Amino acid sequence: MKYTNVKTPKWADFEQTIINCEVDFDDLVEEFAPFAAVASGDYPHTHEIFVRCVAGEFGEVAAYTPPADITGLDALLGVRGRRESILTTEVDPIVTNSLRWSEMSTAEQEAWTTYRRALLDITDTYPNPSYVWNESEKRHVLTDCTFPIKP
């Protein structure tokens, strides 16, 4: 694919294997389109743009910046989503199955009831969770919130 110009190159990852940039492709209507250039790709222009960016032909490649931490309502929504998944896939199939439930001892039933209640109350117990970017794990890690341990 032919292109005329490239602008705003920036490293997309800590390992410096991807460069996000904007490319003016000749065949596209829009003047500049978002593009991710990599050292080896399926198309020759992908590799060429990467090499030219690294060489500084389109300006210095801006440093990688990790994603912002997730806080507030977005973090609460993440916790709620995880909670709903646990309830749906792990807890409710046990506590709503009368055969499984009746085979449990009273202590086991109480443990599952306590676990389920703790899950339902998690956003009240931990009203200010956050997901902090962990560079070594390359993912957001939940902080200020601890999920209960399954019985």
Side-chain angles (χ1 to χ4, degrees):
M1 186 169 236
K2 295 187 183 225
Y3 60 94
T4 306
N5 197 7
V6 176
K7 66 179 186 177
T8 65
K10 180 178 182 177
W11 291 110
D13 60 346
F14 182 76
E15 294 82 11
Q16 297 186 335
T17 61
I18 304 168
I19 298 174
N20 286 334
C21 55
E22 296 175 79
V23 180
D24 184 3
F25 288 107
D26 296 349
D27 295 337
L28 296 181
V29 175
E30 56 194 294
E31 187 175 355
F32 281 92
F35 187 75
V38 294
S40 60
D42 294 338
Y43 303 102
H45 69 276
T46 302
H47 172 71
E48 179 183 304
I49 291 171
F50 181 88
V51 170
R52 291 181 69 192
C53 283
V54 170
E57 288 186 39
F58 307 110
E60 183 178 346
V61 179
Y64 165 72
T65 51
D69 294 344
I70 301 168
T71 59
L73 181 58
D74 291 335
L76 279 171
L77 290 173
V79 169
R80 287 181 184 137
R82 182 173 167 192
R83 173 192 63 197
E84 294 308 312
S85 177
I86 293 169
L87 287 168
T88 303
T89 62
E90 299 176 28
V91 179
D92 290 346
I94 293 172
V95 301
T96 62
N97 183 320
S98 59
L99 292 174
R100 292 177 91 178
W101 191 253
S102 66
E103 291 174 353
M104 289 184 189
S105 69
T106 302
E108 290 172 319
Q109 289 177 353
E110 288 175 4
W112 277 99
T113 300
T114 300
Y115 176 61
R116 187 171 192 278
R117 174 63 11 208
L119 285 169
L120 291 171
D121 293 342
I122 196 160
T123 55
D124 291 332
T125 306
Y126 301 100
N128 298 306
S130 58
Y131 288 89
V132 176
W133 182 255
N134 183 307
E135 192 60 46
S136 64
E137 295 182 35
K138 304 292 186 251
R139 67 182 184 94
H140 283 98
V141 177
L142 180 62
T143 62
D144 302 321
C145 179
T146 303
F147 272 77
I149 298 171
K150 182 169 67 170

